[in-house]
Amino acid sequence: MTQITAMLVMFVLYGVLPAAGIYLGYRGIKKATAPKMLEYKAMPQLGYIPEKSLPETVKNTLADINQKGEKLRLIYGDTNNDGQIDDKDAVTETYIMIQNLMDKHIPQAVADYRRLYDLEGERVDTTKIKNSDVTGKEALLEVLETINTQFDDLLDASYHQDGQKLLVTNRYLQQRFDTSNVENSQIATKL
């Protein structure tokens, strides 16, 4: 082995490999010890919030809103029914409202609650807000329940609207085929 090859092997064995091992070990430990963050597909702005920082009832309500929000975005955002929301879809006022709730209002309400929690700690769940009869946690839950109820109403409206379309289509087809059956029977009797 030449001296240059030996130096290269020594550099790799005693320089690069230990440095890579230390770096990968650091990354692995950092990843293993990092707090689990919230993951909501319809509300990616909440992805920076650790799961442990919110009460279980709030997380459950957020998960419910996320699920309904995904459905509503497709219902009201995908107007050409191609399976994706893009520039070819028409923008509706309802879709803009849903988008604003999911992207701005919900993350802002959660951020306000977390700011209260950071200031007051456990008091935010037990101490009433001045000039009101609710705690910080109750106030956040009221906001989320209002949005959740609104989303339920939108889903119901969409269901009934689509159901009405089906009924109209059925009536049209029945009239169309009943008329043609009457015409066919009249033609057959004339022959």
Side-chain angles (χ1 to χ4, degrees):
M1 193 182 309
T2 66
Q3 190 174 6
I4 293 178
T5 307
M7 287 175 57
L8 184 61
V9 168
M10 296 299 271
F11 175 73
V12 169
L13 288 176
Y14 295 111
V16 174
L17 289 178
I22 290 171
Y23 174 74
L24 293 175
Y26 167 75
R27 296 285 296 185
I29 290 171
K30 187 175 178 183
K31 188 172 184 175
T33 59
K36 187 171 182 200
M37 302 302 214
L38 294 174
E39 291 184 38
Y40 299 114
K41 184 177 179 185
M43 298 179 285
Q45 294 82 354
L46 296 179
Y48 68 91
I49 298 174
E51 259 189 16
K52 291 181 180 179
S53 68
L54 293 177
E56 198 63 37
T57 53
V58 171
K59 287 190 284 189
N60 292 339
T61 306
L62 283 172
D64 197 29
I65 290 172
N66 180 61
Q67 181 185 21
K68 292 173 186 174
E70 286 182 39
K71 287 179 187 177
L72 288 169
R73 277 187 174 166
L74 279 177
I75 290 170
Y76 290 101
D78 185 19
T79 55
N80 62 1
N81 292 324
D82 64 352
Q84 55 186 330
I85 301 171
D86 52 19
D87 292 341
K88 297 173 187 169
D89 295 308
V91 176
T92 64
E93 186 177 336
T94 306
Y95 178 74
I96 298 296
M97 180 198 63
I98 293 165
Q99 193 74 21
N100 282 337
L101 285 171
M102 302 293 281
D103 291 345
K104 294 177 187 166
H105 298 292
I106 293 172
Q108 184 62 44
V110 172
D112 291 343
Y113 170 80
R114 291 196 64 235
R115 213 172 11 264
L116 280 175
Y117 192 84
D118 290 344
L119 290 174
E120 298 293 327
E122 296 295 324
R123 282 185 61 195
V124 76
D125 295 338
T126 57
T127 305
K128 304 282 185 194
I129 298 171
K130 195 174 198 171
N131 299 327
S132 73
D133 195 29
V134 295
T135 64
K137 177 182 173 183
E138 292 169 343
L140 175 62
L141 284 171
E142 284 180 11
V143 169
L144 295 178
E145 286 301 324
T146 301
I147 293 169
N148 202 9
T149 303
Q150 180 66 32
F151 280 6
D152 284 337
D153 292 345
L154 286 171
L155 285 170
D156 286 345
S158 174
Y159 173 80
H160 292 297
Q161 182 181 11
D162 290 344
Q164 289 296 325
K165 288 179 186 176
L166 285 172
L167 292 174
V168 167
T169 302
N170 186 34
R171 276 185 288 225
Y172 168 76
L173 291 174
Q174 283 179 345
Q175 288 176 351
R176 175 85 173 137
F177 290 127
D178 285 347
T179 328
S180 62
N181 285 341
V182 171
E183 290 173 4
N184 288 342
S185 63
Q186 289 175 353
I187 293 173
T189 54
K190 288 182 182 178
L191 294 175

